[in-house]
Amino acid sequence: MSDQPRAKHVPVLLDRIVELFAPALSTPSVLVDCTLGLGGHSHALLSAYPELTVIGLDRDPEALSLAGRRLAEFGDRVRYVHAVYDELPTVLVQQGIPEVDGVLFDLGVSSLQLDVAERGFAYSQDAPLDMRMDPTTGQTAADVLNSYPFADLARILREYGEERFAGKIAKAIVAERAKEPFTTSPRLVQLLHDVIPAASKRTGGHPAKRTFQALRIEVNGELEVLRRALPAALSALAVGGRIVVESYHSLEDRMVKRALTELSVSTSPLDLPVELPGHGPELKLVTRGAEQAGEQEIADNPRSASVRLRAAERIRRAS
């Protein structure tokens, strides 16, 4: 494959991420980039912190290959692992690393996956309905469309796509697949255009956006994977280590907020005048709420518009 996807890759909130990790990575340190992608964030961190080693995880073999070329200048300071990020505990055992100084998640779909038509992530391109982040395994979006019962289709469209017309769309999909199975994106896009009322198509972006998002999240089990990965990542974090998470979906951000907040408060009974030993907060929140991209970055890189960034630092080991 050519370098074209890499040329389009613009890491979101890059300078802010480098800044947030500064206290944790200024000495010999290890960071896990749980979503290596095309290596943009890791390149900036490796450049900024000369004593940093990065463990780069990605479920997409093509991303690992392209990232390896991009990060070749850093030699053995980068280790590449083909894995989904909820496999983090196993990866660290295999790497012989008991704890890490940084963990980075840049959630959602990568530039590589969006920009390569045959991967089927983009509703604006004529492509097979695939949407697997790891194209070597698992069900495709076409499998979901052609086999899920009406109730399950409506549920994922409503929950993962926050689609108001989930029931109408699911009903239309079931009717259409009875005539002929879904295989490529244009037929699904046309169905969505026909089903969604005209008034709703005038606001909220492309009418296919929410359905494609929901299918992608279902195909890749993104929310279930994140639910398992967050506690594993926090458990691996050394005292003084930092975690930074970029989310692009309200359900992801809610999950991240909950995981970080739960460990940032005392578990001592509220009526006690003193902190019980071993009951103090484990994390300190580094960001005030969720940070967003600025106007200029959104203008330069529209994909940054929906980002929500949260960060925390481990201040105490769990008892």
Side-chain angles (χ1 to χ4, degrees):
M1 180 174 291
S2 74
D3 284 341
Q4 185 179 4
R6 185 175 73 177
K8 294 181 181 179
H9 177 52
V10 183
V12 175
L13 291 172
L14 185 59
D15 292 342
R16 181 58 173 147
I17 285 176
V18 171
E19 176 188 19
L20 284 167
F21 276 119
L25 305 184
S26 298
T27 56
S29 51
V30 176
L31 173 137
V32 181
D33 187 340
C34 291
T35 47
L36 183 62
L38 296 175
H41 286 112
S42 280
H43 189 283
L45 291 165
L46 288 158
S47 300
Y49 305 112
E51 296 182 280
L52 171 65
T53 296
V54 167
I55 312 297
L57 277 58
D58 209 290
R59 65 169 80 185
D60 187 339
E62 183 67 17
L64 287 171
S65 174
L66 288 168
R69 286 151 59 184
R70 180 172 193 166
L71 302 175
E73 65 187 275
F74 300 105
D76 60 8
R77 292 176 58 202
V78 190
R79 306 181 197 176
Y80 306 91
V81 184
H82 181 213
V84 186
Y85 43 77
D86 64 342
E87 299 175 89
L88 177 61
T90 301
V91 170
L92 293 180
V93 168
Q94 291 171 343
Q95 296 289 329
I97 298 172
E99 58 183 18
V100 299
D101 306 287
V103 180
L104 172 64
F105 289 92
D106 183 14
L107 302 172
V109 65
S110 75
S111 298
L112 167 65
Q113 291 152 352
L114 280 172
D115 293 337
V116 178
E118 59 264 29
R119 300 296 294 272
F121 286 91
Y123 44 79
S124 58
Q125 297 169 324
D126 184 346
L129 285 162
D130 192 318
M131 300 194 197
R132 291 173 297 170
M133 291 178 175
D134 181 351
T136 67
T137 185
Q139 66 180 354
T140 66
D143 295 331
V144 172
L145 288 168
N146 294 324
S147 67
Y148 275 33
F150 164 81
D152 288 339
L153 282 173
R155 174 184 56 81
I156 67 169
L157 293 174
R158 183 172 55 251
E159 292 181 7
Y160 300 164
E162 299 175 298
E163 173 56 72
R164 290 168 53 204
F165 304 103
K168 288 185 68 173
I169 293 169
K171 183 178 179 181
I173 289 170
V174 171
E176 280 299 309
R177 76 187 186 193
K179 304 173 189 175
E180 183 183 349
F182 285 90
T183 57
T184 58
S185 52
R187 183 167 168 232
L188 176 59
V189 171
Q190 184 60 53
L191 178 148
L192 295 166
H193 190 274
D194 293 342
V195 169
I196 295 174
S200 296
K201 287 186 286 197
R202 288 194 284 269
T203 59
H206 195 287
K209 178 180 178 181
R210 292 177 295 278
T211 292
F212 271 63
Q213 173 180 278
L215 289 169
R216 189 202 81 219
I217 290 173
E218 174 67 14
V219 164
N220 296 289
E222 292 176 45
L223 295 176
E224 291 80 6
V225 168
L226 182 61
R227 191 173 286 113
R228 293 188 294 268
L230 285 169
L234 291 168
S235 178
L237 208 57
V239 173
R242 289 192 167 193
I243 181 170
V244 177
V245 186
E246 291 184 303
S247 306
Y248 300 83
H249 185 284
S250 60
L251 293 176
E252 292 173 341
D253 182 53
R254 213 171 299 150
M255 204 179 295
V256 173
K257 178 183 179 181
R258 189 181 307 121
L260 299 186
T261 302
E262 284 177 356
L263 296 182
S264 69
V265 295
S266 170
T267 56
S268 292
L270 292 175
D271 56 350
L272 286 185
V274 294
E275 186 82 69
L276 287 176
H279 285 260
E282 293 180 34
L283 298 180
K284 174 182 69 176
L285 300 181
V286 179
T287 52
R288 294 185 63 182
E291 296 185 0
Q292 299 174 244
E295 290 182 8
Q296 186 58 56
E297 180 166 2
I298 294 171
D300 295 339
N301 179 18
R303 290 176 187 167
S304 67
S306 58
V307 72
R308 299 293 183 271
L309 180 150
R310 296 182 187 270
E313 179 178 316
R314 177 166 288 286
I315 56 175
R316 183 180 71 83
R317 260 275 161 230
S319 302

